[in-house]
Amino acid sequence: MHLPTWSDVIGAHERIAPHIRRTEILTSNALDRQAGATLFFKCENLQPPGAFKVRGACNAVFGLSEERASKGVATHSSGNHALCLAYAAGRRGIPCDVVMPRTAPQAKKDAVIGYGGRITECEPSTSSREEVFAGVQAESGGDFVHPYNDPRVIAGQATCAREFLDQVRDLDLLLAPIGGGGMISGTCLTVASVAPHVRVYAAEPEQADDAMRSLRAGRIIADDAPETIADGLKVPLKELTWHFVSKHVTDILTASEQEIIDAMKLSWKRLRQVIEPSCAVPLAVILKNPETFAGKRVGVIVTGGNVDLDRLPWTKH
């Protein structure tokens, strides 16, 4: 298992700088009053492809040798990693094959196609995703860029927290959603390297709480096909992300489906930002656990804004 280092993060930041945005920090007096804390939101939904995953995808794609790049890249993803990898591959002019669950939001599928990616659909389970992907990669020969269990991806995601700590001083803790753990692992890597006094918390849906149960049990617990509106958080931890989560995450807190929906609506209203259900989970757990965050300076990573506007979770279909 190759662990990314701080020097990998610095190299990644230089490599991806021409292809990403140094995203803004937003605040809201109304949300601060409701939470009883001072909240800072780093808006990765404003990245060109609409999600933080562009950082890891670009680091992987632009770190390939010309020979490796000529065969393209391939991955499996519920959406944001797929479209971000397609974006990065398109900027380098190489092929990109992705396996996506048939239930993935149409907005994310449309984005993959728009960036030039080729989609093969699978059933909405981790086992189906990995089985279908094995066949696709064998045929394409593309370099496998795992959505999160990849040191190149984790080093890229770590650049988000690096920017955050530069933009906002004296944070007490950083909070981000957790599915497979790529963003949280990158956040842990940055914090451990340059700001060890900052605590890292993760936020997870109650209906896909395998990371929380893993942290409690001291070993990886993987659910195959959890059901939650937070479609980006359905995947389990892997050995590389578990390394960072088990050693550096202070706690993982969960929110119900309704609490996630309420936090998503509140974010749209108070931050005036289009965010997807997965990245509403941190605000949901802040409001649910006031005793944990009261009086603290809290950094929240807003992970993505690729929403199917025809299927909003608070509307009837």
Side-chain angles (χ1 to χ4, degrees), residues 98-113:
V98 299
V99 171
M100 298 181 72
R102 57 175 176 76
T103 54
Q106 190 61 44
K108 295 182 179 180
K109 293 179 183 177
D110 291 344
V112 171
I113 295 169

Side-chain angles (χ1 to χ4, degrees), residues 21-293:
R21 177 175 180 171
R22 182 181 170 92
T23 50
E24 293 85 345
I25 307 293
L26 296 184
T27 58
S28 165
N29 290 332
L31 290 179
D32 286 357
R33 287 193 298 271
Q34 193 165 344
T38 305
L39 308 180
F40 302 89
F41 297 88
K42 185 162 175 62
C43 295
E44 290 292 286
N45 58 308
L46 299 179
Q47 289 291 357
F52 77 91
K53 287 178 179 283
V54 69
R55 296 175 181 270
C58 282
N59 189 43
V61 166
F62 288 95
L64 291 173
S65 66
E66 288 298 325
E67 181 181 357
R68 293 286 295 279
S70 66
K71 295 183 179 179
V73 289
T75 196
H76 53 75
S77 165
S78 61
N80 279 335
H81 176 67
L83 66 90
C84 287
L85 191 66
Y87 164 85
R91 287 181 70 90
R92 188 159 180 183
I94 62 176
C96 177
D97 284 284
V98 299
V99 171
M100 298 181 72
R102 57 175 176 76
T103 54
Q106 190 61 44
K108 295 182 179 180
K109 293 179 183 177
D110 291 344
V112 171
I113 295 169
Y115 290 129
R118 299 178 298 215
I119 298 175
T120 301
E121 292 192 348
C122 66
E123 292 302 307
S125 68
T126 299
S127 55
S128 174
R129 179 189 298 203
E130 293 178 348
E131 181 181 351
V132 173
F133 175 76
V136 169
Q137 190 196 22
E139 184 175 340
S140 72
D143 187 270
F144 180 25
V145 182
H146 194 280
Y148 51 92
N149 198 50
D150 186 314
R152 302 168 299 177
V153 169
I154 291 173
Q157 317 308 27
T159 64
C160 180
R162 186 189 187 206
E163 290 177 5
F164 211 152
L165 293 171
D166 183 57
Q167 291 168 294
V168 182
R169 302 294 181 178
D170 301 320
L171 286 175
D172 294 305
L173 58 92
L174 277 171
L175 178 66
I178 188 167
M183 171 54 80
I184 283 291
S185 294
T187 302
C188 290
L189 173 54
T190 291
V191 165
S193 301
V194 299
H197 60 284
V198 175
R199 287 174 292 165
V200 177
Y201 281 76
E204 190 173 37
E206 284 180 0
Q207 293 185 191
D209 66 348
D210 51 293
M212 184 201 73
R213 287 182 284 121
S214 297
L215 191 63
R216 302 282 192 277
R219 59 181 176 83
I220 295 177
I221 297 173
D223 293 338
D224 189 46
E227 289 293 333
T228 173
I229 57 168
D231 61 277
L233 306 180
K234 294 182 178 183
V235 292
L237 296 167
K238 296 288 188 181
E239 61 274 5
L240 191 53
T241 53
W242 172 244
H243 167 85
F244 289 99
V245 170
S246 63
K247 287 179 169 52
H248 300 290
V249 170
T250 299
D251 201 4
I252 300 175
L253 305 173
T254 63
S256 69
E257 298 293 285
Q258 189 59 53
E259 288 164 343
I260 295 168
I261 292 170
D262 292 344
M264 182 177 172
K265 291 174 69 175
L266 191 59
S267 297
W268 284 42
K269 181 179 180 180
R270 295 303 185 189
L271 295 178
R272 297 169 181 84
Q273 294 292 306
V274 174
I275 70 167
E276 58 193 81
S278 296
C279 64
V281 185
L283 180 59
V285 303
I286 289 171
L287 298 177
K288 185 177 183 177
N289 299 276
E291 69 287 349
T292 300
F293 303 98

Side-chain angles (χ1 to χ4, degrees), residues 286-310:
I286 289 171
L287 298 177
K288 185 177 183 177
N289 299 276
E291 69 287 349
T292 300
F293 303 98
K296 301 291 196 302
R297 290 170 61 83
V298 182
V300 181
I301 297 175
V302 180
T303 49
N306 292 305
V307 181
D308 188 342
L309 296 177
D310 293 323

